[in-house]
Amino acid sequence: GFMHLMRYNIFLNRNKIPKESKMDTNHNFSDEELKEKLTPLQYRVTQKGGTEDPYTNKYYKTKAEGDYNCIVCGQKLFESTHKYDSGSGWPAFWDSSAQACTLKIDESHPHKKTEVTCSQCDAHL
């Protein structure tokens, strides 16, 4: 089915993990470790559910081939072949890698919202 996944802001780390590098499977990062590892904006988005301004993400318009990985744990989330221009101002993908994302439905507002998180480390995407 069609998945309109947006708000893939800073957490995306396209092809930055060397092939010999292993994904961090510990996922028990302390707040202090995360603040050292991430920029303030990356921390606010991935850990506090924030977002960045639309049209400011460096991957918004890129057409380069490759994988998009979680900035926190390194899990492969998306492939460039699944990227499209949604006109939203954020990178958008119509599919994710196998079980890489978790969708959390929030019906506490008049308009239902869906939060997308990394299935490995629960980082907000």
Side-chain angles (χ1 to χ4, degrees):
F2 179 83
M3 263 197 307
H4 180 81
L5 305 176
M6 342 197 279
R7 277 200 183 176
Y8 297 116
N9 16 32
I10 315 301
F11 82 100
L12 295 177
N13 196 5
R14 194 179 65 73
N15 291 331
K16 297 280 182 174
I17 297 181
K19 290 181 182 175
E20 65 278 358
S21 171
K22 292 186 179 176
M23 182 172 52
D24 186 340
T25 56
N26 182 5
H27 312 307
N28 293 321
F29 301 108
S30 70
D31 226 27
E32 185 177 300
E33 289 172 315
L34 287 169
K35 286 179 179 177
E36 287 179 24
K37 176 180 178 140
L38 304 170
T39 68
L41 182 57
Q42 290 168 338
Y43 178 83
R44 184 175 59 81
V45 169
T46 63
Q47 304 307 303
K48 302 298 180 187
T51 192
E52 65 184 333
D53 291 333
Y55 307 102
T56 60
N57 184 281
K58 68 180 178 179
Y59 298 121
Y60 168 61
K61 287 201 172 202
T62 188
K63 305 259 190 244
E65 291 184 18
D67 297 331
Y68 291 81
N69 304 304
C70 178
I71 196 100
V72 175
C73 72
Q75 173 176 234
K76 177 181 169 183
L77 298 168
F78 308 102
E79 297 176 14
S80 58
T81 55
H82 296 148
K83 188 173 185 290
Y84 71 101
D85 184 0
S86 68
S88 67
W90 293 282
F93 302 84
W94 56 269
D95 198 7
S96 65
S97 295
Q99 300 178 346
C101 296
T102 303
L103 303 178
K104 298 177 182 179
I105 309 227
D106 178 1
E107 297 186 52
S108 65
H109 304 281
H111 299 284
K112 182 168 54 170
K113 298 188 328 189
T114 303
E115 178 185 14
V116 182
T117 61
C118 173
S119 65
Q120 291 275 348
C121 69
D122 207 34
H124 173 81
L125 310 180

